[in-house]
Amino acid sequence: MNRNSIYVGEGEDVEVKGLLHEVQDVPEVSDVLADSFPSMVSDEKAEHNVFENKGRKAWNSDKVLARCDMNYVLKISPRCGVSFISIWKKTLYGRLLSDIKDDDNMVKVFAIHMNETIRNVIGSDLRSGGYCLITAPRRRHVERNFATLVCFELAKLLNINFYEDIMQCTQRRRMNATFSLSVVPEEPNIIVFDDIVTTGSTLASIKRAFGGRKKNLIFFAGINNKL
């Protein structure tokens, strides 16, 4: 695939040039990992096909071995009424998503590559001071929330404010949850980051929470959890 093109849903590739700011090449994460963290490079010869069971549950289920090879693939995906930009995608082979989220070294990897992507997409306007960063409310991983840890590092790289825990989840369910805002950021442009997106329902819940407020939400994800 051309590195200067993106996928939109299930349709044909759409050229990034002209649709967004020019997206420059970002180094393959496998090269970065090989130099800095050799143990993180995925084993492409893994023999287990993780998609044998068509009735698989959510990615983090103990019975599911969802994986990612961490090769850079820029995509724009529309789901649940929200379009988000992701930089990696679910693959047949590679590291388990659960292992990636449990690895403290991966926090910096996510932050570095997301910083590159956000800067390429938004461009010089990022320096206007009108941007901030948020993520989804903590629901299951309260003490160590991977997306929150990435956002702390990412906010430093982007030199923007990160608003931690600005919303709460009023239900425990994963799908179609309702979020309530406790703080409304001052900045007009809000970068919403999530580490792994499957159905897009969490991003849609965040969008609904800002309903009626004059804020521009821009959605980014680390791993697009669909082939």
Side-chain angles (χ1 to χ4, degrees), residues 90-132:
K90 182 186 210 175
T91 53
L92 293 173
Y93 307 113
R95 293 195 69 186
L96 295 174
L97 300 192
S98 55
D99 289 347
I100 290 172
K101 287 169 67 75
D102 286 340
D103 189 341
D104 289 337
N105 290 319
M106 292 304 294
V107 171
K108 184 169 288 188
V109 172
F110 268 66
I112 289 172
H113 284 268
M114 189 55 64
N115 170 61
E116 293 277 357
T117 300
I118 291 174
R119 287 185 179 278
N120 285 336
V121 170
I122 296 178
S124 60
D125 192 51
L126 189 63
R127 296 193 295 269
S128 68
Y131 288 83
C132 67

Side-chain angles (χ1 to χ4, degrees), residues 26-219:
V26 179
E28 293 290 350
V29 71
S30 57
D31 297 335
V32 175
L33 297 180
D35 293 338
S36 304
F37 314 109
S39 62
M40 284 190 231
V41 180
S42 61
D43 181 5
E44 296 181 355
K45 297 181 180 179
E47 296 179 356
H48 182 65
N49 184 341
V50 300
F51 301 109
E52 281 182 328
N53 181 6
K54 296 182 180 180
R56 61 187 182 280
K57 297 181 181 179
W59 66 264
N60 60 332
S61 169
D62 292 337
K63 298 180 181 179
V64 177
L65 300 178
R67 298 174 183 265
C68 179
D69 62 12
M70 304 300 290
N71 284 320
Y72 186 91
V73 180
L74 185 67
K75 296 179 66 177
I76 294 181
S77 303
R79 282 189 211 138
C80 291
V82 174
S83 291
F84 64 94
I85 299 171
S86 60
I87 60 177
W88 298 303
K89 68 176 182 178
K90 182 186 210 175
T91 53
L92 293 173
Y93 307 113
R95 293 195 69 186
L96 295 174
L97 300 192
S98 55
D99 289 347
I100 290 172
K101 287 169 67 75
D102 286 340
D103 189 341
D104 289 337
N105 290 319
M106 292 304 294
V107 171
K108 184 169 288 188
V109 172
F110 268 66
I112 289 172
H113 284 268
M114 189 55 64
N115 170 61
E116 293 277 357
T117 300
I118 291 174
R119 287 185 179 278
N120 285 336
V121 170
I122 296 178
S124 60
D125 192 51
L126 189 63
R127 296 193 295 269
S128 68
Y131 288 83
C132 67
L133 178 67
I134 68 170
T135 189
R138 307 173 193 234
R139 286 183 281 174
R140 292 174 296 117
H141 305 96
V142 177
E143 294 183 1
R144 185 190 179 281
N145 183 276
F146 185 79
T148 298
L149 294 175
V150 172
C151 282
F152 277 123
E153 295 296 324
L154 181 57
K156 295 175 186 176
L157 294 173
L158 293 171
N159 195 29
I160 61 176
N161 290 327
F162 168 46
Y163 290 87
E164 181 186 7
D165 297 331
I166 68 167
M167 61 182 72
Q168 292 77 41
C169 182
T170 59
Q171 298 125 345
R172 286 292 183 183
R173 63 188 183 191
R174 286 177 56 84
M175 299 294 295
N176 300 317
T178 301
F179 300 158
S180 61
L181 279 173
S182 56
V183 176
V184 179
E186 297 177 358
E187 294 83 355
N189 303 301
I190 301 174
I191 297 171
V192 182
F193 168 78
D194 203 358
D195 50 6
I196 299 173
V197 173
T198 303
T199 65
S201 63
T202 296
L203 301 185
S205 295
I206 293 174
K207 182 179 179 180
R208 286 195 300 270
F210 280 91
R213 297 174 173 84
K214 296 180 179 180
K215 301 295 181 181
N216 179 37
L217 303 182
I218 312 168
F219 298 90

